[in-house]
């Protein structure tokens, strides 16, 4: 057997929604690279099956049945993992649900359910491990975003909103965690799983296996992992998405500034020279600095 180039030996990983599909693939991949894995799922049976699969392959794992939308349940789960292994180094927030329907036909209850699991479930788990990681001055956290959140998708307003919210959460937590050795990233996976049943044809099914996404998770959980990355993965292809800022244009002196903005949308949106801000306040600094230069 070839020794993996990335070693997670001694690291403890908690993977949510790991009883099937992508989560299962993530848990198995982390275990193959040496991590001790806490396999979370709403289904105790499914979590047990994956944990047993890891143990049978020579790894170390424990099953943790918990509803990530329930903060108390998450706290108890994290306490149990820490009691067993003493620490948690890696958190992969994978648990999610779909309630696809156009916004006109959707209910507030369905919208809230999607936000509760996809967004707040990730918040609950991350909050439960955050201070542990700060104290040990090491952590790797992955949020599962989606191309639906990054770029939109018909019939997925609730899912898109929750998934894009995770990008904002990642941006700030990466800044706050940097001094403590906590790296925070997002993964936008493309895979044929039970949750996406009916979305792909037979040809796509053969190409979009969960095992083609899991390597991105291992990379984002490695000691050398980046931070504040939005990684897209599917069919063996890996790419990165960025939230950028264009150079823009000043409308100072225009008689009707609103009309000027509308008429010059192409100029304002010109992507030549766009860049990725280091943080939110950079917008204000650039605006003021540019204005000062303009009026000299």
């Amino acid at each position: 057997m070839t020794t993996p180039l990335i070693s997670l030996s001694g690291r403890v990983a908690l993977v949510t929604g790991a009883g099937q599909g992508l989560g299962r693939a993530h848990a198995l991949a982390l275990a193959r690279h040496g991590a001790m894995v806490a396999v979370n799922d709403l289904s105790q049976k499914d979590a047990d099956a994956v944990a047993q699969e890891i143990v049978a392959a020579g790894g170390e794992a424990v099953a943790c049945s918990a509803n990530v939308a329930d903060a108390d349940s998450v706290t108890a789960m994290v306490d149990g993992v820490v009691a067993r292994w003493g620490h948690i180094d890696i958190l992969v927030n994978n648990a999610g649900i779909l309630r696809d329907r156009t916004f006109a036909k959707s209910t507030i209850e369905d919208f809230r359910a999607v936000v509760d699991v996809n967004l707040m479930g990730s918040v609950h788990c991350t909050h439960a491990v955050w201070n542990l990681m700060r104290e040990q001055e090491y952590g790797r956290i992955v949020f599962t975003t989606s191309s639906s959140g990054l770029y939109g998708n018909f019939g997925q307003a609730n899912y898109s909103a929750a998934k894009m919210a995770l990008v904002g959460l990642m941006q700030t937590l990466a800044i706050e965690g940097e001094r403590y050795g906590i790296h925070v990233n997002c993964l936008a996976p493309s895979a044929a799983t039970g949750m996406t049943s009916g979305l792909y044809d037979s040809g796509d099914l053969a190409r979009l296996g969960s095992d083609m996404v899991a390597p991105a998770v291992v990379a984002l959980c490695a000691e050398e992992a980046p931070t504040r990355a939005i990684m897209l993965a599917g069919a063996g292809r890996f790419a990165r998405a960025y939230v950028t800022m264009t150079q823009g244009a000043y409308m100072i002196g225009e008689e009707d500034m609103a009309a000027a903005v509308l008429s010059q949308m192409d100029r304002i949106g010109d992507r030549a020279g766009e860049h990725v801000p280091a943080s939110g306040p950079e917008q204000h600094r650039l605006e003021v600095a540019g204005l000062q230069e303009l009026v000299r």
Side-chain angles (χ1 to χ4, degrees):
M1 179 183 295
T2 302
T3 302
L5 294 177
I6 294 176
S7 175
L8 300 176
S9 179
R11 300 297 186 190
V12 174
L14 170 59
V15 185
T16 69
Q20 297 183 35
L22 280 166
R24 172 181 172 275
H26 299 340
L28 293 175
L30 291 168
R32 282 195 300 271
H33 284 78
M36 296 168 277
V37 183
V39 181
N40 160 262
D41 201 86
L42 195 58
S43 165
Q44 183 69 52
K45 179 181 178 181
D46 289 346
D48 283 335
V50 176
Q52 290 167 10
E53 190 173 355
I54 291 172
V55 171
E60 193 169 349
V62 62
C64 308
S65 177
N67 180 1
V68 297
D70 182 339
D72 291 338
S73 181
V74 168
T75 298
M77 172 178 66
V78 168
D79 288 346
V81 175
V82 173
R84 181 183 180 94
W85 284 313
H87 54 103
I88 296 177
D89 307 292
I90 295 165
L91 170 63
V92 180
N93 290 292
N94 170 77
I97 62 170
L98 292 173
R99 294 289 186 272
D100 290 358
R101 192 171 294 180
T102 63
F103 193 63
K105 296 180 179 179
S106 66
T107 65
I108 293 299
E109 290 73 23
D110 276 349
F111 204 107
R112 184 173 288 113
V114 170
V115 170
D116 282 347
V117 175
N118 292 281
L119 173 58
M120 292 309 301
S122 294
V123 171
H124 294 154
C125 294
T126 303
H127 193 265
V129 304
W130 188 254
N131 284 335
L132 297 173
M133 291 181 173
R134 276 172 40 113
E135 290 168 7
Q136 67 194 21
E137 296 189 338
Y138 186 90
R140 297 293 181 266
I141 297 173
V142 178
F143 292 117
T144 304
T145 184
S146 170
S147 57
S148 294
L150 296 169
Y151 311 114
N153 193 27
F154 188 90
Q156 289 195 316
N158 47 27
Y159 188 73
S160 299
K163 290 301 188 180
M164 194 58 183
L166 290 170
V167 174
L169 179 61
M170 177 272 289
Q171 298 278 19
T172 292
L173 291 187
I175 294 171
E176 293 184 2
E178 185 175 12
R179 71 176 68 180
Y180 301 102
I182 304 173
H183 292 195
V184 190
N185 296 286
C186 276
L187 171 73
S190 179
T193 67
M195 199 169 88
T196 58
S197 177
L199 296 181
Y200 301 108
D201 61 30
S202 58
D204 290 335
L205 289 173
R207 303 180 184 94
L208 293 172
S210 297
D211 58 334
M212 302 296 274
V213 174
V217 169
V218 174
L220 294 177
C221 293
E223 187 170 344
E224 304 82 5
T227 193
R228 290 187 73 186
I230 305 171
M231 181 76 73
L232 290 74
R237 175 182 179 269
F238 304 91
R240 285 182 65 172
Y242 295 90
V243 180
T244 67
M245 182 186 300
T246 67
Q247 292 295 309
Y250 286 90
M251 302 297 163
I252 305 299
E254 294 285 350
E255 182 178 352
D256 187 336
M257 196 176 291
V261 169
L262 185 60
S263 66
Q264 297 194 50
M265 279 294 181
D266 288 345
R267 178 187 171 199
I268 293 169
D270 187 348
R271 300 190 64 175
E274 69 179 358
H275 73 287
V276 179
S279 65
E282 187 170 334
Q283 174 187 344
H284 318 307
R285 290 195 294 269
L286 288 173
E287 289 165 345
V288 172
L291 179 59
Q292 291 174 338
E293 185 69 25
L294 188 66
V295 298
R296 278 183 183 176

